[in-house]
Amino acid sequence: MNGVKQYFTNIWQAITTLSAGMRVTMRHLLHARKGIVTLQYPEERWPRPERNIGFPEQDYNVIRSRLHVDMDDCIGCLKCERVCPVDCIKIETVKVDKGVDIPDAGHTGITSHGTQKRLLVTRFDIDMTECCYCNLCVYPCPEECIYMVGGPNADKYPLDYEFSEYDRADMIYRFAKPETKPWAKENLPE
Amino acid sequence: MAKDGSGNIIVAPLNKLLNWARSTSPWYFQFGLACCAIEMMATAASRHDLERIGMMPRSSPRQADVMIVAGTVTMKMALRIKRLYEQMAEPKYVVSMGSCATSGGPYWQYGYHVLKGVDLVIPVDVYVPGCPPRPEQLIEGLLRLQEKIQKERPVQEIIVPNIKEILKKKKNKEKKK
């Protein structure tokens, strides 16, 4: 008889203690206002933080996202390739007439800064798997054509930093116009 | 079952069910190799909260579905990674997180001690860029992995061949008797 009584008290205790605990949980769920820190990621995003290094960001152009190159402005000076600490930028150029447009190769002779181009860039590959996002290639560029997207450059190119891929080769970004290489092979003697 | 492909109509909902179950609870294997591990911890913590998408850290490869290779894979660690990957139970997936794991990163040229990409050792499903990637980038990679899992057809590719093999073995046993 005692055992049966114990059995039912145990059940009763389980129900009451569980409901007391769940009541606390429910109260917290319904009245939680402060202290919710979770970011519902795909629906909402935080602004990407830009590093503060003591300069106004418009002058210094610092954000860590994907690299992008405006090929119409690139003069093929190789400064970014040389400064890259991990050598993830590969550039090949050929010599062409100074400041002359080549419509077949998609080449414009004069950049938006007014510089006359002497070289045609046939290859401009950035391997974003090797990039360490240090921004060092951005500073020496005389034409300001290589930059990290978004942030201070958002008016040139929208922010894009989530670009995971299923294939490693897809993460090599080829910025040189595809028609430049066949044009150079046809029209320029080796 | 007829072999004209009409069987797929029957198993399509089962595929969907399996894919839903697999993709919404990929428990990940908790191990970090370098600074990317800090970001992985941050992703699992309450700000970004990986449990939101059903991911829970497991400390044993036997219980894990996803291996997040977070950090520089040294030659010494590569052997261990391979072993740990082999210890994981099917279905298993690998996320290569950050530049170092994907291609050697800053060490790709002169790093005598670094494996040039973890895909030389184990098959990788998703490559997440960044050095290290922000938690948002990692979550986006994991959502991409979910998409990939949802495109699989586990019934046709795993279950049916396994059943056929089992039946074959049974027949062989009966013949021996």
Side-chain angles (χ1 to χ4, degrees), chain A residues 129 163 165-173:
Chain A
T129 62
F163 49 102
E165 302 280 358
Y166 296 132
D167 190 358
R168 185 167 137 186
D170 291 346
M171 227 135 34
I172 302 172
Y173 284 78

Side-chain angles (χ1 to χ4, degrees), chain A residues 48-132:
Chain A
R48 179 105 178 162
E50 285 146 27
R51 274 183 291 174
N52 183 4
I53 49 173
F55 292 88
E57 64 193 30
Q58 296 86 359
D59 299 348
Y60 225 73
N61 200 357
V62 172
I63 188 170
R64 298 188 79 201
S65 60
R66 190 161 65 73
L67 276 172
H68 184 75
V69 185
D70 284 337
M71 281 316 289
D72 286 341
D73 284 359
C74 180
I75 56 170
C77 64
L78 306 187
K79 277 184 180 171
C80 48
E81 190 190 22
R82 283 192 199 131
V83 81
C84 182
V86 294
D87 291 347
C88 74
I89 303 173
K90 281 115 188 162
I91 302 172
E92 281 168 16
T93 54
V94 290
K95 222 170 179 183
V96 288
D97 294 338
K98 183 181 172 186
V100 178
D101 285 1
I102 307 166
D104 290 348
H107 178 75
T108 47
I110 299 168
T111 66
S112 59
H113 279 235
T115 315
Q116 290 179 326
K117 288 200 230 174
R118 291 151 195 269
L119 296 167
L120 171 65
V121 182
T122 53
R123 181 189 179 204
F124 199 123
D125 294 355
I126 301 182
D127 193 341
M128 292 311 286
T129 62
E130 287 157 3
C131 179
C132 66

